[in-house]
Amino acid sequence: MTTVVTLDERSGPAGLYDRWIELRSGEPAVRARDAADRLGVSEAELVACRCGRNAGVRRLAGPWGELLRALPSLGEVMVLTRNEHVVHEKTGTFGKVSVNGPMGLVLNREIDLRVFLGWWASGYAVTEGKPGEERHSLQFFAGDGAAVHKIYFKAGADIAPYEALVAQFHSDDQSAAQSVTPSAPPAPDGADADIDAGALREDWLALLDVHDFAAMLRKHKAGRIQAMRLVGEDLAWRVTRESFTAAIEAASRLDLSVMIFVGSTGVIQIHTGPVKTLKRVGPWFNILDPGFNLHLKDGGIAEVWVVRKPTKDGIVTSLEAYDADGGQIALMFGERKEGNPEQDAWREVVAALETAA
């Protein structure tokens, strides 16, 4: 039976709000995710505690698919998707939006998203900052209270489209409480001995589209890393933990256009284009380009794999970073238009990476 966790009376919404104000007064620049961690709550609970207080937060209601379709009205925005180890930020406009049941697609080059609406449990309109310097955003959270996606309205822009969208999807419930359900840990992989590695390899070699890869894994009841271990070193092999950032650095030197995928539970966000301005700040490896920022805490990378998948256009090669729990941190490809083969320059970057011991 699933246990629903709510804030107790001692640290309920009112108490949480007071603790948040105290923390912010001492550290005005503290990020919401860090503040939530330090206060012992989820980010959704921390946002919700400001509802109904004239404190800049309004709860939204779905249907989320309809809200997704309405986002082009906002004009230029910055979208942010993150997981435990990496933050992916893109600036652009929503366009080419489609929704099919729980699956949404946004296919503009600047804002390119795969949206899994079944994971969207709550949403808020958030206004922060000093009068005259407010920053407006839409923030969406999974059932466990973790952020799945955030959309920041352009500073200085006419906020009428933003306010119109918030009014359209405004919830009647403006209470300060947000219940969350802890997410179950991922099921462990089955035993290697239970997987027919030969049949797995045969199906892998028969792939015609990279989008069929997940279905193939399900057919063989294989975990992603498990399948890569079993399929054969001509199709998947480990490289050093430093290889992901090394490949970014190589792409920058070569002015090579790449695709970098970062996912939360509810969104996969994609950058397509060159990467230019690289900078390390403490534990963070950063890409700081106009229209695209990436902040990667690469100390969390436990494994990096080169993965080769057949398609009707030839082999497509990905570079995939995972954490110590097997969670996917980020994926990278060379840019490739459908119908064209993979870039030779990308293959050369991958071939130069050092194989893991």
Side-chain angles (χ1 to χ4, degrees):
M1 180 176 177
T2 301
T3 301
V4 175
V5 179
T6 58
L7 298 170
D8 61 29
E9 291 183 3
R10 182 179 57 81
S11 57
L16 175 58
Y17 179 78
D18 291 341
R19 291 189 291 131
W20 178 79
I21 291 296
E22 182 180 356
L23 176 61
R24 284 288 297 267
S25 65
E27 300 179 47
V30 64
R31 294 182 180 274
R33 183 185 176 99
D34 295 334
D37 287 344
R38 289 169 59 180
L39 294 171
V41 296
S42 71
E43 196 174 341
E45 290 169 297
L46 183 59
V47 171
C49 79
R50 294 158 58 190
C51 274
R53 297 177 175 274
N54 196 27
V57 172
R58 290 167 284 178
R59 191 188 307 272
L60 303 175
W64 303 125
E66 292 303 312
L67 187 148
L68 188 66
R69 290 190 180 99
L71 291 175
S73 67
L74 296 182
E76 187 173 76
V77 293
M78 187 273 279
V79 295
L80 183 155
T81 299
R82 69 167 299 161
N83 55 49
E84 187 69 27
H85 306 285
V86 61
V87 183
H88 191 294
E89 303 171 357
K90 287 285 290 184
T91 299
T93 57
F94 279 83
K96 300 179 182 177
V97 178
S98 62
V99 178
N100 184 11
M103 180 68 186
L105 294 173
V106 182
L107 296 176
N108 268 6
R109 182 178 175 91
E110 293 84 7
I111 296 184
D112 188 359
L113 309 174
R114 309 294 177 266
V115 183
F116 309 100
L117 294 166
W119 290 95
W120 291 36
S122 61
Y124 297 88
V126 180
T127 299
E128 300 172 290
K130 300 176 183 178
E133 300 177 4
E134 295 93 347
R135 194 177 194 193
H136 306 282
S137 64
L138 305 173
Q139 303 188 15
F140 303 96
F141 301 90
D144 63 359
V148 294
H149 192 58
K150 298 182 181 181
I151 302 165
Y152 288 89
F153 202 60
K154 188 178 180 182
D158 178 10
I159 66 168
Y162 173 84
E163 289 295 341
L165 187 145
V166 172
Q168 181 181 353
F169 293 96
H170 189 271
S171 174
D172 292 337
D173 175 12
Q174 294 297 318
S175 65
Q178 175 64 58
S179 295
V180 297
T181 304
S183 55
D189 293 340
D192 288 359
D194 293 336
I195 295 173
D196 185 335
L200 172 67
R201 179 179 173 84
E202 183 177 338
D203 284 351
W204 189 307
L205 288 169
L207 288 170
L208 295 176
D209 190 317
V210 293
H211 298 102
D212 296 331
F213 187 72
M216 182 199 70
L217 295 181
R218 290 194 294 270
K219 173 184 174 182
H220 291 277
K221 299 180 180 178
R224 194 176 181 101
I225 294 177
Q226 183 180 42
M228 294 188 294
R229 283 194 290 101
L230 296 175
V231 74
E233 293 185 357
D234 58 328
L235 295 175
W237 64 94
R238 278 186 64 190
V239 288
T240 62
R241 293 174 55 251
E242 297 77 20
S243 292
F244 200 84
T245 54
I248 293 173
E249 291 167 339
S252 179
R253 289 193 304 270
L254 296 169
D255 196 26
L256 179 63
S257 184
V258 295
M259 302 178 72
I260 300 177
F261 293 61
V262 167
S264 68
T265 53
V267 172
I268 297 172
Q269 184 166 304
I270 305 164
H271 164 74
T272 301
V275 289
K276 298 287 190 181
T277 307
L278 311 182
K279 184 176 182 180
R280 180 171 291 282
V281 179
W284 296 93
F285 177 90
N286 302 283
I287 301 172
L288 303 173
D289 289 337
F292 175 51
N293 282 189
L294 185 84
H295 312 290
L296 171 63
K297 193 176 285 187
D298 54 345
I301 296 176
E303 298 184 16
V304 178
W305 286 80
V306 175
V307 184
R308 303 176 73 239
K309 304 183 190 80
T311 74
K312 62 183 183 297
D313 302 321
I315 291 290
V316 170
T317 308
S318 60
L319 191 64
E320 309 190 0
Y322 296 87
D323 63 22
D325 296 323
Q328 192 176 89
I329 297 174
L331 277 69
M332 182 161 43
F333 297 78
E335 182 181 3
R336 183 186 70 88
K337 294 182 179 179
E338 190 168 353
N340 294 328
E342 188 170 65
Q343 300 176 73
D344 288 338
W346 170 246
R347 292 183 178 178
E348 290 168 6
V349 166
V350 171
L353 298 173
E354 182 180 352
T355 302

